[in-house]
Coordinates of all heavy atoms in Angstrom, one line a residue:
A97 N 26.7 -104.1 -6.7 CA 26.7 -104.2 -5.2 C 27.6 -105.4 -4.8 O 28.3 -105.2 -3.7 CB 25.3 -104.6 -4.8
T98 N 27.7 -106.5 -5.4 CA 28.6 -107.6 -5.1 C 30.0 -107.1 -5.2 O 30.8 -107.4 -4.3 CB 28.3 -108.8 -5.9 OG1 26.9 -109.2 -5.8 CG2 29.1 -110.0 -5.5
A99 N 30.3 -106.4 -6.3 CA 31.7 -105.9 -6.6 C 32.2 -105.0 -5.4 O 33.3 -105.1 -4.9 CB 31.9 -105.3 -7.9
L100 N 31.3 -104.1 -5.1 CA 31.5 -103.1 -4.0 C 31.8 -103.9 -2.7 O 32.6 -103.6 -1.8 CB 30.5 -102.1 -3.9 CG 30.6 -101.0 -5.0 CD1 29.4 -100.0 -4.8 CD2 31.9 -100.2 -5.0
G101 N 30.9 -104.8 -2.4 CA 30.9 -105.7 -1.2 C 32.3 -106.3 -1.1 O 32.9 -106.4 0.0
L102 N 32.7 -106.9 -2.2 CA 34.0 -107.6 -2.3 C 35.2 -106.6 -1.9 O 36.1 -106.9 -1.1 CB 34.2 -108.3 -3.6 CG 35.5 -109.0 -3.8 CD1 35.8 -110.1 -2.9 CD2 35.6 -109.4 -5.4
I103 N 35.2 -105.5 -2.6 CA 36.3 -104.5 -2.4 C 36.2 -104.1 -1.0 O 37.3 -104.0 -0.4 CB 36.1 -103.3 -3.4 CG1 36.2 -103.8 -4.9 CG2 37.0 -102.2 -3.0 CD1 35.8 -102.8 -5.8
F104 N 35.1 -103.7 -0.4 CA 35.0 -103.2 0.9 C 35.6 -104.3 1.9 O 36.2 -104.0 2.8 CB 33.6 -102.8 1.4 CG 33.1 -101.6 0.6 CD1 31.7 -101.3 0.5 CD2 34.1 -100.7 0.0 CE1 31.3 -100.2 -0.2 CE2 33.6 -99.4 -0.6 CZ 32.3 -99.2 -0.7
A105 N 35.1 -105.5 1.7 CA 35.5 -106.6 2.6 C 37.0 -106.9 2.6 O 37.6 -107.1 3.6 CB 34.7 -107.9 2.2
V106 N 37.6 -106.8 1.4 CA 39.0 -107.1 1.3 C 39.9 -105.9 1.9 O 40.7 -106.2 2.6 CB 39.4 -107.3 -0.1 CG1 40.8 -107.4 -0.3 CG2 38.8 -108.6 -0.6
L107 N 39.4 -104.7 1.5 CA 40.1 -103.6 2.1 C 40.1 -103.4 3.5 O 41.1 -102.9 4.2 CB 39.8 -102.3 1.3 CG 40.1 -102.4 -0.2 CD1 39.8 -101.1 -0.8 CD2 41.6 -102.6 -0.5
T108 N 38.9 -103.7 4.1 CA 38.8 -103.4 5.5 C 39.5 -104.3 6.3 O 39.7 -104.1 7.6 CB 37.2 -103.4 5.9 OG1 36.6 -104.6 5.5 CG2 36.5 -102.2 5.4
E109 N 40.0 -105.4 5.8 CA 40.8 -106.3 6.6 C 42.2 -105.7 6.9 O 42.9 -106.1 7.8 CB 41.0 -107.6 5.8 CG 40.0 -108.7 6.0 CD 40.5 -110.0 5.7 OE1 41.3 -110.2 4.9 OE2 39.8 -110.9 6.3
R110 N 42.6 -104.6 6.1 CA 43.9 -104.2 6.2 C 44.0 -102.9 7.0 O 45.0 -102.4 7.3 CB 44.5 -103.7 4.7 CG 44.4 -104.8 3.7 CD 45.3 -106.0 4.2 NE 45.4 -107.1 3.1 CZ 46.2 -107.0 2.2 NH1 47.1 -106.1 2.0 NH2 46.3 -108.1 1.3
V111 N 42.8 -102.4 7.5 CA 42.9 -101.2 8.3 C 42.4 -101.5 9.8 O 41.5 -102.3 9.9 CB 42.0 -100.0 7.6 CG1 42.7 -99.6 6.2 CG2 40.6 -100.6 7.5
S112 N 42.8 -100.6 10.7 CA 42.4 -100.9 12.1 C 41.0 -100.4 12.4 O 40.3 -101.0 13.2 CB 43.4 -100.1 13.0 OG 43.4 -98.7 12.7
W113 N 40.5 -99.5 11.6 CA 39.1 -99.1 11.7 C 38.1 -99.7 10.7 O 37.1 -99.1 10.5 CB 39.1 -97.5 11.5 CG 39.9 -97.0 10.3 CD1 41.2 -96.5 10.4 CD2 39.5 -96.8 9.0 NE1 41.6 -96.2 9.2 CE2 40.6 -96.4 8.2 CE3 38.2 -97.1 8.3 CZ2 40.5 -96.2 6.9 CZ3 38.3 -96.9 6.9 CH2 39.4 -96.4 6.3
G114 N 38.5 -100.8 10.3 CA 37.6 -101.7 9.4 C 36.2 -102.0 9.9 O 35.3 -101.9 9.2
T115 N 36.2 -102.3 11.2 CA 34.9 -102.6 11.9 C 34.1 -101.4 11.9 O 32.7 -101.6 11.5 CB 35.1 -103.1 13.3 OG1 36.1 -104.2 13.3 CG2 33.7 -103.5 13.9
A116 N 34.5 -100.2 12.2 CA 33.7 -99.0 12.2 C 33.2 -98.7 10.7 O 32.0 -98.3 10.6 CB 34.5 -97.9 12.7
F117 N 34.1 -98.9 9.8 CA 33.7 -98.7 8.4 C 32.6 -99.7 8.0 O 31.6 -99.3 7.3 CB 35.0 -98.9 7.5 CG 34.6 -98.7 6.0 CD1 34.6 -97.4 5.4 CD2 34.4 -99.8 5.1 CE1 34.3 -97.2 4.1 CE2 34.1 -99.6 3.8 CZ 34.1 -98.3 3.3
K118 N 32.7 -100.9 8.3 CA 31.7 -101.9 8.0 C 30.3 -101.5 8.7 O 29.2 -101.7 8.0 CB 32.1 -103.4 8.4 CG 33.2 -104.0 7.7 CD 33.6 -105.3 8.2 CE 34.8 -105.8 7.5 NZ 35.3 -107.1 8.1
L119 N 30.4 -101.0 9.8 CA 29.1 -100.6 10.5 C 28.5 -99.5 9.8 O 27.2 -99.5 9.6 CB 29.5 -100.1 11.9 CG 28.3 -99.6 12.7 CD1 27.3 -100.8 13.0 CD2 28.9 -99.1 14.1
V120 N 29.3 -98.5 9.2 CA 28.7 -97.4 8.6 C 28.0 -97.8 7.2 O 26.9 -97.4 6.7 CB 29.8 -96.3 8.3 CG1 29.2 -95.2 7.4 CG2 30.2 -95.7 9.6
V121 N 28.8 -98.8 6.5 CA 28.3 -99.2 5.2 C 27.2 -100.1 5.3 O 26.2 -100.0 4.5 CB 29.4 -100.0 4.5 CG1 29.0 -100.6 3.1 CG2 30.6 -99.0 4.2
F122 N 27.1 -100.8 6.4 CA 25.9 -101.7 6.8 C 24.7 -101.0 7.3 O 23.6 -101.5 7.1 CB 26.3 -102.9 7.7 CG 25.3 -104.0 7.8 CD1 25.1 -104.9 6.8 CD2 24.5 -103.9 8.8 CE1 24.2 -105.9 6.8 CE2 23.5 -105.0 9.0 CZ 23.4 -105.9 8.0
M123 N 24.8 -99.9 7.7 CA 23.8 -99.2 8.4 C 22.5 -98.9 7.6 O 21.4 -98.9 8.0 CB 24.3 -97.8 9.0 CG 23.5 -97.2 10.0 SD 24.3 -95.7 10.7 CE 25.6 -96.4 11.5
P124 N 22.7 -98.5 6.2 CA 21.5 -98.3 5.4 C 20.6 -99.6 5.5 O 19.4 -99.4 5.1 CB 22.1 -98.1 4.0 CG 23.5 -97.6 4.3 CD 24.0 -98.2 5.5
M125 N 21.2 -100.8 5.7 CA 20.2 -102.0 5.7 C 19.1 -101.8 6.8 O 18.2 -102.5 6.8 CB 21.0 -103.3 6.0 CG 21.8 -103.7 4.7 SD 20.7 -104.2 3.4 CE 19.9 -105.6 4.1
A126 N 19.4 -100.9 7.8 CA 18.4 -100.8 8.8 C 17.4 -99.9 8.4 O 16.3 -99.7 9.2 CB 19.1 -100.2 10.1
I127 N 17.5 -99.2 7.3 CA 16.4 -98.2 6.8 C 15.5 -99.0 5.8 O 15.9 -99.8 5.0 CB 17.1 -97.1 6.1 CG1 18.1 -96.4 7.0 CG2 16.1 -96.1 5.6 CD1 19.0 -95.3 6.3
S128 N 14.2 -98.7 5.9 CA 13.2 -99.3 5.1 C 13.4 -98.7 3.7 O 14.0 -97.7 3.5 CB 11.8 -99.0 5.5 OG 11.4 -97.7 5.4
M129 N 13.0 -99.5 2.7 CA 12.9 -99.1 1.3 C 12.2 -97.7 1.1 O 12.6 -96.8 0.4 CB 12.3 -100.0 0.4 CG 13.2 -101.3 0.2 SD 14.5 -101.0 -1.1 CE 14.9 -102.7 -1.5
L130 N 11.0 -97.6 1.8 CA 10.3 -96.3 1.9 C 11.1 -95.1 2.3 O 11.2 -94.0 1.6 CB 9.0 -96.5 2.7 CG 8.2 -95.2 2.7 CD1 7.5 -94.9 1.4 CD2 7.1 -95.5 3.8
A131 N 11.8 -95.3 3.4 CA 12.7 -94.2 3.9 C 13.8 -93.9 3.0 O 14.1 -92.7 2.7 CB 13.1 -94.5 5.3
S132 N 14.4 -95.0 2.4 CA 15.5 -94.7 1.5 C 15.1 -93.9 0.2 O 15.8 -93.1 -0.2 CB 16.1 -96.1 1.1 OG 17.2 -95.9 0.2
G133 N 13.9 -94.4 -0.2 CA 13.3 -93.7 -1.4 C 13.0 -92.1 -1.1 O 13.4 -91.3 -1.9
I134 N 12.5 -91.8 0.0 CA 12.3 -90.5 0.4 C 13.7 -89.7 0.5 O 13.8 -88.6 0.1 CB 11.6 -90.3 1.8 CG1 10.2 -90.9 1.6 CG2 11.6 -88.8 2.2 CD1 9.3 -91.0 2.8
I135 N 14.7 -90.3 1.2 CA 16.0 -89.8 1.2 C 16.6 -89.5 -0.2 O 17.2 -88.3 -0.4 CB 17.0 -90.6 2.1 CG1 16.5 -90.8 3.5 CG2 18.4 -90.2 1.9 CD1 17.4 -91.7 4.3
F136 N 16.5 -90.4 -1.1 CA 17.2 -90.2 -2.4 C 16.3 -89.4 -3.3 O 16.8 -88.7 -4.2 CB 17.4 -91.6 -3.0 CG 18.8 -92.1 -2.6 CD1 18.9 -93.0 -1.3 CD2 19.9 -91.9 -3.3 CE1 20.1 -93.3 -1.0 CE2 21.2 -92.3 -2.9 CZ 21.2 -93.1 -1.8
R137 N 15.0 -89.1 -2.9 CA 14.2 -88.2 -3.8 C 14.7 -86.8 -3.4 O 14.8 -86.0 -4.3 CB 12.7 -88.4 -3.3 CG 11.8 -87.4 -4.1 CD 11.7 -87.7 -5.6 NE 10.8 -86.8 -6.3 CZ 9.6 -87.1 -6.5 NH1 9.1 -88.2 -6.0 NH2 8.9 -86.3 -7.2
L138 N 15.2 -86.6 -2.2 CA 15.7 -85.3 -1.9 C 17.3 -85.2 -2.4 O 17.6 -84.1 -2.8 CB 15.7 -85.1 -0.3 CG 14.3 -85.1 0.4 CD1 14.5 -85.0 1.9 CD2 13.6 -83.8 -0.2
V139 N 17.9 -86.3 -2.2 CA 19.3 -86.2 -2.8 C 19.4 -85.9 -4.2 O 20.4 -85.1 -4.8 CB 20.0 -87.6 -2.6 CG1 21.3 -87.8 -3.3 CG2 20.2 -87.9 -1.1
Y140 N 18.4 -86.3 -5.0 CA 18.4 -86.1 -6.6 C 17.6 -84.9 -6.9 O 17.3 -84.7 -8.1 CB 17.8 -87.3 -7.2 CG 18.7 -88.7 -7.2 CD1 18.2 -89.8 -6.8 CD2 20.2 -88.6 -7.4 CE1 19.0 -91.0 -6.7 CE2 20.8 -89.7 -7.4 CZ 20.3 -90.8 -7.1 OH 21.2 -92.0 -7.0
D141 N 17.3 -84.1 -6.0 CA 16.5 -82.8 -6.2 C 17.3 -82.0 -7.4 O 18.5 -81.9 -7.2 CB 16.2 -82.0 -5.1 CG 15.1 -81.0 -5.3 OD1 15.4 -80.0 -5.9 OD2 13.9 -81.2 -4.8
Q142 N 16.6 -81.5 -8.3 CA 17.2 -80.6 -9.3 C 17.8 -79.5 -8.7 O 18.9 -79.0 -9.2 CB 16.2 -80.3 -10.4 CG 16.7 -79.4 -11.6 CD 17.7 -80.2 -12.4 OE1 17.5 -81.3 -12.7 NE2 18.7 -79.5 -12.8
D143 N 17.3 -78.8 -7.7 CA 17.9 -77.5 -7.2 C 19.2 -77.9 -6.3 O 19.1 -78.6 -5.4 CB 16.9 -76.9 -6.3 CG 17.4 -75.5 -5.8 OD1 18.4 -75.1 -6.0 OD2 16.4 -74.9 -5.1
P144 N 20.3 -77.3 -6.8 CA 21.5 -77.6 -6.0 C 21.6 -77.2 -4.6 O 22.3 -77.7 -3.8 CB 22.6 -76.9 -6.8 CG 22.0 -76.6 -8.2 CD 20.6 -76.4 -7.9
D145 N 20.7 -76.2 -4.2 CA 20.5 -75.8 -2.9 C 19.8 -76.8 -2.0 O 19.8 -76.8 -0.8 CB 19.8 -74.5 -2.8 CG 20.5 -73.3 -3.4 OD1 21.8 -73.5 -3.4 OD2 19.9 -72.4 -3.9
K146 N 19.1 -77.8 -2.7 CA 18.4 -78.9 -1.9 C 19.0 -80.2 -2.2 O 19.1 -81.0 -1.2 CB 17.0 -78.8 -2.5 CG 16.1 -77.6 -2.1 CD 14.7 -77.6 -2.5 CE 13.9 -76.3 -2.3 NZ 12.5 -76.4 -2.9
G147 N 19.3 -80.5 -3.5 CA 19.8 -81.9 -3.7 C 21.3 -82.0 -3.6 O 22.0 -81.2 -4.3
I148 N 21.8 -82.9 -2.8 CA 23.2 -83.0 -2.6 C 23.9 -83.4 -3.8 O 25.1 -83.1 -4.1 CB 23.6 -83.9 -1.4 CG1 25.0 -83.8 -1.0 CG2 23.1 -85.4 -1.7 CD1 25.4 -84.5 0.3
A149 N 23.3 -84.3 -4.7 CA 24.0 -84.7 -5.9 C 24.3 -83.6 -6.8 O 25.4 -83.6 -7.3 CB 23.1 -85.8 -6.5
N150 N 23.3 -82.8 -7.1 CA 23.6 -81.7 -7.9 C 24.5 -80.6 -7.2 O 25.2 -79.9 -7.9 CB 22.2 -81.0 -8.4 CG 21.8 -81.5 -9.8 OD1 22.6 -82.1 -10.4 ND2 20.6 -81.4 -10.1
A151 N 24.3 -80.4 -5.9 CA 25.3 -79.5 -5.2 C 26.8 -79.9 -5.5 O 27.6 -79.1 -5.8 CB 25.0 -79.5 -3.7
V152 N 27.1 -81.2 -5.3 CA 28.4 -81.8 -5.6 C 28.8 -81.6 -7.1 O 29.9 -81.0 -7.5 CB 28.7 -83.2 -5.2 CG1 29.9 -83.7 -5.5 CG2 28.4 -83.3 -3.7
W153 N 27.9 -81.9 -8.0 CA 28.2 -81.9 -9.4 C 28.4 -80.5 -9.8 O 29.2 -80.2 -10.7 CB 26.9 -82.5 -10.2 CG 27.1 -82.8 -11.6 CD1 26.9 -81.9 -12.7 CD2 27.9 -83.8 -12.2 NE1 27.3 -82.4 -13.8 CE2 28.0 -83.6 -13.6 CE3 28.5 -84.9 -11.7 CZ2 28.5 -84.5 -14.5 CZ3 29.2 -85.9 -12.6 CH2 29.2 -85.7 -14.0
V154 N 27.5 -79.5 -9.4 CA 27.7 -78.1 -9.8 C 28.9 -77.5 -9.3 O 29.6 -76.8 -9.9 CB 26.4 -77.2 -9.3 CG1 26.7 -75.8 -9.4 CG2 25.2 -77.7 -10.1
G155 N 29.3 -78.0 -8.0 CA 30.5 -77.5 -7.4 C 31.8 -78.0 -8.2 O 32.7 -77.2 -8.5

Side-chain angles (χ1 to χ4, degrees):
T98 304
L100 283 177
L102 174 62
I103 294 170
F104 292 158
V106 171
L107 294 182
T108 50
E109 275 203 330
R110 304 298 183 90
V111 293
S112 58
W113 41 269
T115 303
F117 180 83
K118 289 177 183 177
L119 178 64
V120 172
V121 175
F122 187 75
M123 198 175 293
M125 284 294 299
I127 303 174
S128 68
M129 285 279 199
L130 176 64
S132 178
I134 294 172
I135 291 170
F136 275 87
R137 181 66 181 268
L138 296 174
V139 167
Y140 292 132
D141 195 287
Q142 179 68 42
D143 187 352
D145 293 331
K146 298 179 182 178
I148 189 173
N150 265 341
V152 173
W153 191 263
V154 169

